[in-house]
Amino acid sequence: MTRTTAPFGRRRAAVTAREEHGAYVVIRCEDRTGPAPAPGQFYMLAAAERWGGGEGERPFLPRAFSVLRARAGELRFLIEDVGPGTKRLSELSAGERLAVVGPLGNGFAPPREDRKPILVGGGVGIAPLAIWQDELRAGGTESRVLLGFRDEWHAHGAALLVDPTVATDDGSVGHHGLVTELLEDELDGRADEIEVYACGPPPMLEAVRELCGRHQVPAQLALESGMACGFGACFGCVVPTVDGYVRLCVDGPVLEASRLESALAATIGAHPSQH
Ligand SMILES: Cc1cc2nc3c(=O)[nH]c(=O)nc-3n(C[C@H](O)[C@H](O)[C@H](O)COP(=O)(O)OP(=O)(O)OC[C@H]3O[C@@H](n4cnc5c(N)ncnc54)[C@H](O)[C@@H]3O)c2cc1C
Ligand code: FES
């Protein structure tokens, strides 16, 4: 797994643009001093101003976000408003500032043995797959992209990746059903050619883990858990693996599926943003 080390401390990043993609908002910000992130890494974000309940109240903790895309001196994040932190962040407009820590954690590792990458995303979990697809394409590797959303409003996010095949729960766009049904079709008879990269809600990741295990296909899963610090200090993000507990913020968020008995163990509860 790839890790780029974050500089010590928080830095300020000016928001340069806000774009809407159906249910999601993309926030772009300047980051001229931070190192370029590896695909799959994440940042702890907070709004520099108005980050907390109000006058005299304690500010929120920063929240974790995968990097969606990185360009020279610019970072992009994909945000779905599911609570107070994501609401404030998704309302940021050009000229406001973010407090940024990162890049943090481990990113995706390249496909082994010249396997063909299949990227499988669910909901806002498409974010780390966009930057991973960018990097694979820059190196001349095309990937198959399978994305699942709950409905047409969320499926607008699919435009952030190149040439995706889309599934929706309600059948309003693309395949009517689960993205893992599309994956199963891809794996049939081709298990020794493929490596899977997935990010999405825990039940989707668990279905990917089980499917890839059954077909003996290697899979790298970008997981989530509640993160208070993001750099290994609080142990709030521990998840069980076959060889003991790991801190997802420093040992993940990308873990080999074969290290997990279940991808459900990482969740801290149903995560509405990723359905
Ligand atoms: C490594 C990592 C990368 C992430 N990348 C993105 C991203 O690219 N875009 C994005 O929109 N969100 C992402 N998230 C999730 C995001 O951090 C949470 O949605 C956010 O912290 C919610 O904050 P809030 O104040 O809006 O809502 P809260 O009120 O804090 O939470 C809203 C609901 O979501 C649940 N929840 C919050 N955080 C998590 C979590 N980490 N895992 C499971 N359930 C959770 C809560 O239990 C609650 O039900 C990522 C999380 C991690 C750990
Ligand atoms: S979030 Fe604090 S140790 Fe991982």
Side-chain angles (χ1 to χ4, degrees):
M1 306 287 174
T2 320
R3 174 180 295 164
T4 306
T5 312
F8 196 66
R10 284 210 284 191
R11 54 194 187 276
R12 300 289 160 124
V15 174
T16 52
R18 175 187 183 278
E19 299 162 7
E20 291 183 8
H21 295 263
Y24 308 105
V25 169
V26 173
I27 296 291
R28 299 187 188 199
C29 67
E30 281 184 357
D31 185 27
R32 300 199 182 283
T33 53
Q41 286 196 296
F42 70 97
Y43 289 71
M44 299 299 286
L45 300 183
E49 291 89 26
R50 292 192 293 113
W51 183 251
E55 197 71 18
E57 293 181 31
R58 286 164 63 109
F60 302 147
L61 290 168
R63 305 298 200 249
F65 293 89
S66 304
V67 59
L68 169 74
R69 272 207 162 95
R71 300 279 184 265
E74 185 200 80
L75 299 173
R76 297 181 199 175
F77 299 97
L78 183 67
I79 297 169
E80 186 179 12
D81 172 3
V82 296
T86 46
K87 178 173 176 55
R88 172 69 184 119
L89 292 170
S90 61
E91 286 172 353
L92 284 169
S93 55
E96 292 193 87
R97 290 176 310 156
L98 279 168
V100 172
V101 179
L104 299 165
N106 286 317
F108 296 116
R112 60 209 97 184
E113 301 146 9
D114 294 327
R115 286 171 177 265
K116 299 199 172 30
I118 298 186
L119 317 189
V120 186
V124 79
I126 65 174
L129 303 180
I131 180 174
W132 186 220
Q133 186 185 35
D134 288 351
E135 186 161 309
L136 287 166
R137 295 185 88 219
T141 303
E142 288 303 325
S143 46
R144 190 90 175 82
V145 180
L146 312 175
L147 304 179
F149 299 94
R150 79 181 95 147
D151 55 26
E152 187 179 4
W153 179 234
H154 290 79
H156 283 288
L160 294 163
L161 284 94
V162 178
D163 204 16
T165 300
V166 173
T168 47
D169 296 351
D170 66 359
S172 52
V173 183
H175 170 72
H176 187 175
L178 300 175
V179 69
T180 42
E181 293 163 5
L182 299 176
L183 177 62
E184 185 145 31
D185 291 345
E186 296 286 334
L187 297 187
D188 267 345
R190 296 177 57 216
D192 53 351
E193 300 167 19
I194 288 169
E195 179 139 359
V196 170
Y197 297 85
C199 185
M204 186 207 98
L205 290 182
E206 174 55 13
V208 171
R209 187 198 66 80
E210 191 279 323
L211 199 54
C212 291
R214 189 155 30 93
H215 287 264
Q216 296 189 307
V217 172
Q220 298 179 38
L221 309 181
L223 297 165
E224 277 194 22
S225 68
M227 288 188 186
C229 73
F231 45 76
C234 73
F235 284 71
C237 63
V238 290
V239 298
T241 69
V242 291
D243 39 28
Y245 282 94
V246 299
R247 286 167 296 171
L248 207 58
C249 67
V250 287
D251 301 310
V254 178
L255 293 181
E256 292 282 348
S258 58
R259 291 184 69 191
L260 298 167
E261 277 167 8
S262 166
L264 296 174
T267 183
I268 56 167
H271 190 199
S273 72
Q274 297 203 337
H275 292 283

